[in-house]
Amino acid sequence: MAFDSFSEFIAMGGHAPYVWSAWGVTALLLLASVWHARAEQRQLLKSLKRRVRRENSSRGNAQ
Amino acid sequence: MHSSLHSSSQQGPSEQGSSHRSDISQQISAVPLREYKGGLLIAVKATLVRDLTLLLRRRGEVLNPLVFFALVITLFPIAISPDPELLAVIAPGLLWVAALLAALLSLDSLFRSDYDDGSLEQLLLAPQPLAALSLAKVAVHWLLTGLPLALMAPILGIMLALPAGSYGVLALSLALGTASLSLIGAIGAALTVGLARGGVLLSLLVLPLYIPVLIFGAGAVQAAILGDGVGAHLAILGALLAASLMLAPWAIAASLRISING
Amino acid sequence: MWAFIHKLGSPKWFYGISAKLQPWFWVAAALLIVTGSLWGLAFAPADYQQGNSFRIIYVHVPAAFLAQSIFIAMAVSGLVFMVWKIKVADMAAAVMAPLGAAMTFVALFSGAVWGVPTWGTWWMWDARLTSMLILLFLYLGVIALRGAFTSRDSASRAASVLAMVGVINIPIIKYSVNWWYTLHQPASFTLTSRPAMPTEMWLPLVMMVLGFYSFFIALTLMRTRSEILRREANKRWVQDLVKDQVEEAR
């Protein structure tokens, strides 16, 4: 462990704004890209399923 | 053609068909012979002559980059300072950047009019390799923009108090460099020629690829001012030109095919 | 060999195999990044010269590696698409580009932030930062060109050609920028080349680099699957697949 206490860890020896902003932006972009990929996949599957249901129901009405 | 039809109509019906066929086959065999005889060199030469004639008829398009170059160079002393000592320091970079932008400006029209009137499609259909024909078009572009820019740069250099002894290097580095710029830029022009508003996109695509040429071109002029050897810079500019001469025509041809078929 | 390539080219086959591979890469990415982060942030010793600000290296270097690798991967995918007409390769190239641009931005941002404690300024025309900036423009060019075409096939082929032209230029740009920088700033402090990093410093760095690569593979697999569904929405196998899912949900 390079730090004696948690507050020292947060302070980063006076370099806190630099270290945490660089790490923060990285984490934010990584998480945002995962979230975006998940949302994209869900929405796509949802619209595909809706189309299948619509086709099923219209076929059901015709019969 | 008419007379042969007339004479055949007087012959018997059985002979009519066969003589007709031989007539046509003779003509068919005659046509490709004329086309293929000259092959590549004639096609390249024809493209060169055609493009040169067309561009020389539209003098405005040839002159515009030169006027733009002079105008941009005029802006800098006004915006920064008329002090000759300060201008002398930044002159090599200014001249190179302004010439690069002027060359970029002329790129959009490189394939545009040929695309609009359909002659680019004819070029694609030609039996000769498209890479060679597009190389001819790029050569004309360089001859009428890059070379005049290079010849004009020393005059603007005087106005920016460019130190003596670097004028020859300035013109030579620009002449060598703009040839690479035309080749690389033609790839971007070919990719965007089918797009309605390709102008800004073209500069976004092409400018990052211009950076090595800019570094060594402006570096050559700076080295000449400092009294260092310029051989290395010019050799690297030459190497960049050789590499783009080798690779760019294929990329231009592929890009033109995409723009026209898509 | 050919059979394998053609199998790889089938979106249906790729959709199946990527579903099996994907979880492994996600797990590897999560494990490596979490361990590497904890180790790098809390346990690695502070640098004797830069103090704790050197901990930015654990995001800066992996992002910079990934930024360059993704461009190469994009160009290779473009080549595969142009030569063998494998559509999956183009779908992968399309989804890679935004992540590559994001990683280039991360490398630029962390480099600029790192510059404040080391150089005393937010931006230096340092060789690495400058070539990263040019790489960002190359990414933006590829993304913009793909978006500019109305026909998908033309967009794919144009983006492939541009990615290949770009990848040939990247080493030339890198070397010329390095040369330019050494000419103008003869003696300077570089960010990452340093004498013999101790093991407890570079091991977390290796973990972070591997973690970022796993993340890139996992995300590309995931987004390529979405892209397959989007482009093949009218194909029989996609409709059957969705039908099965709908039946199961009942």
Side-chain angles (χ1 to χ4, degrees):
Chain A
M1 192 81 178
F3 300 96
D4 293 331
S5 67
F6 186 71
S7 56
E8 254 183 60
F9 172 66
I10 296 295
M12 277 286 157
H15 290 311
Y18 314 120
V19 174
W20 292 122
S21 64
W23 277 78
V25 166
T26 312
L28 203 74
L29 268 173
L30 290 188
L31 291 176
S33 47
V34 175
W35 177 81
H36 168 248
R38 276 177 68 96
E40 178 191 38
Q41 197 177 36
R42 274 194 191 159
Q43 202 166 8
L44 211 64
L45 277 174
K46 215 164 144 188
S47 68
L48 283 175
K49 278 179 190 166
R50 196 182 301 138
R51 201 168 79 174
V52 166
R53 281 206 198 91
R54 197 167 52 226
E55 277 165 11
N56 279 351
S57 65
S58 68
R59 206 173 297 141
N61 288 346
Q63 277 166 2
Chain B
M1 186 69 201
H2 183 259
S3 67
S4 78
L5 263 181
H6 192 72
S7 65
S8 68
S9 71
Q10 287 177 336
Q11 289 164 348
S14 59
E15 288 167 359
Q16 192 180 351
S18 67
S19 81
H20 218 110
R21 211 171 292 134
S22 70
D23 252 22
I24 289 169
S25 70
Q26 258 176 9
Q27 277 167 6
I28 287 174
S29 64
V31 170
L33 259 179
R34 270 179 64 204
E35 283 264 343
Y36 284 111
K37 205 172 169 186
L40 187 57
L41 267 182
I42 284 188
V44 167
K45 211 166 137 194
T47 316
L48 276 174
V49 171
R50 172 184 173 274
D51 275 28
L52 264 176
T53 319
L54 276 178
L55 264 179
L56 285 176
R57 273 187 203 150
R58 286 173 298 178
R59 289 218 183 84
E61 248 171 63
V62 179
L63 285 176
N64 281 346
L66 296 176
V67 178
F68 176 83
F69 186 29
L71 251 171
V72 170
I73 290 300
T74 316
L75 295 181
F76 281 102
I78 293 170
I80 300 170
S81 139
D83 175 22
E85 276 177 36
L86 179 68
L87 287 178
V89 176
I90 52 173
L94 286 192
L95 286 164
W96 249 94
V97 170
L100 185 147
L101 291 178
L104 179 73
L105 195 72
S106 64
L107 275 178
D108 195 43
S109 61
L110 177 53
F111 298 116
R112 178 71 61 195
S113 61
D114 282 354
Y115 178 81
D116 287 342
D117 66 16
S119 42
L120 211 52
E121 277 173 58
Q122 301 300 316
L123 217 61
L124 249 75
L125 292 174
Q128 284 82 12
L130 183 60
L133 300 181
S134 45
L135 188 63
K137 292 184 83 68
V138 176
V140 171
H141 177 257
W142 174 76
L143 214 59
L144 291 183
T145 52
L147 197 59
L149 285 173
L151 294 176
M152 192 177 158
I155 302 168
L156 298 171
I158 298 173
M159 292 162 73
L160 287 182
L162 190 73
S166 57
Y167 288 87
V169 177
L170 174 68
L172 195 60
S173 70
L174 270 175
L176 263 177
T178 46
S180 311
L181 297 187
S182 291
L183 279 163
I184 300 168
I187 303 173
L191 281 173
T192 53
V193 71
L195 302 172
R197 282 182 296 276
V200 185
L201 183 61
L202 171 62
S203 42
L204 177 62
L205 302 186
V206 161
L207 278 179
L209 305 175
Y210 275 3
I211 284 165
V213 179
L214 177 66
I215 286 175
F216 290 105
V221 185
Q222 251 156 11
I225 292 172
L226 294 173
D228 300 343
V230 293
H233 293 84
L234 294 180
I236 292 177
L237 278 180
L240 287 176
L241 175 58
S244 28
L245 261 178
M246 216 163 59
L247 298 174
W250 308 108
I252 299 168
S255 311
L256 283 178
R257 288 221 165 81
I258 294 166
S259 283
I260 291 202
N261 296 338
Chain C
M1 175 68 194
W2 285 105
F4 177 72
I5 285 180
H6 280 285
K7 222 166 151 191
L8 204 66
S10 140
K12 187 184 172 186
W13 183 82
F14 186 88
Y15 193 83
I17 194 83
S18 57
K20 285 180 201 131
L21 286 175
Q22 205 188 336
W24 296 102
F25 284 105
W26 282 121
V27 169
L31 277 179
L32 283 165
I33 290 177
V34 167
T35 336
S37 299
L38 281 177
W39 195 348
L41 272 174
F43 293 93
D47 186 63
Y48 69 103
Q49 223 176 357
Q50 303 183 33
N52 284 310
S53 72
F54 105 99
R55 293 180 201 281
I56 295 175
I57 202 176
Y58 296 117
V59 289
H60 177 77
V61 167
F65 271 30
L66 209 52
Q68 298 175 35
S69 304
I70 293 179
F71 205 98
I72 295 170
M74 212 166 70
V76 170
S77 307
L79 183 73
V80 168
F81 171 67
M82 291 292 273
V83 173
W84 288 291
K85 310 277 173 228
I86 292 178
K87 281 186 182 145
V88 175
D90 174 61
M91 298 180 199
V95 301
M96 273 177 210
L99 183 68
M103 283 300 124
T104 317
F105 175 76
V106 164
L108 271 176
F109 181 82
S110 55
V113 166
W114 199 358
V116 183
T118 43
W119 297 321
T121 168
W122 287 94
W123 183 261
M124 263 272 269
W125 288 97
D126 161 73
R128 279 163 206 277
L129 284 182
T130 311
S131 30
M132 259 308 147
L133 185 64
I134 298 168
L135 185 65
L136 181 64
F137 291 137
L138 287 175
Y139 269 119
L140 295 181
V142 174
I143 295 172
L145 185 67
R146 190 182 280 276
F149 281 87
T150 38
S151 132
R152 178 175 284 151
D153 189 51
S154 310
S156 305
R157 290 193 294 153
S160 303
V161 168
L162 188 64
M164 285 189 273
V165 170
V167 93
I168 292 170
N169 271 278
I170 283 176
I172 301 174
I173 292 172
K174 247 180 112 84
Y175 282 114
S176 48
V177 167
N178 274 341
W179 179 87
W180 158 81
Y181 185 67
T182 48
L183 190 77
H184 289 272
Q185 318 272 334
S188 78
F189 184 77
T190 52
L191 284 178
T192 45
S193 70
R194 44 183 55 253
M197 235 188 205
T199 316
E200 62 268 36
M201 266 185 178
W202 65 254
L203 210 58
L205 185 59
V206 171
M207 290 180 83
M208 286 300 271
V209 169
L210 291 177
F212 269 54
Y213 273 101
S214 311
F215 178 86
F216 156 60
I217 296 171
L219 192 79
T220 306
L221 287 178
M222 183 172 177
R223 292 205 59 207
T224 307
R225 284 164 58 81
S226 301
E227 192 71 16
I228 288 174
L229 287 186
R230 187 178 299 142
R231 292 198 197 178
E232 310 251 298
N234 293 326
K235 293 272 164 69
R236 186 62 180 264
W237 72 268
V238 172
Q239 288 175 347
D240 288 347
L241 189 103
V242 177
K243 254 175 218 157
D244 288 349
Q245 284 192 7
V246 171
E247 307 276 302
E248 270 173 38
R250 269 180 195 165

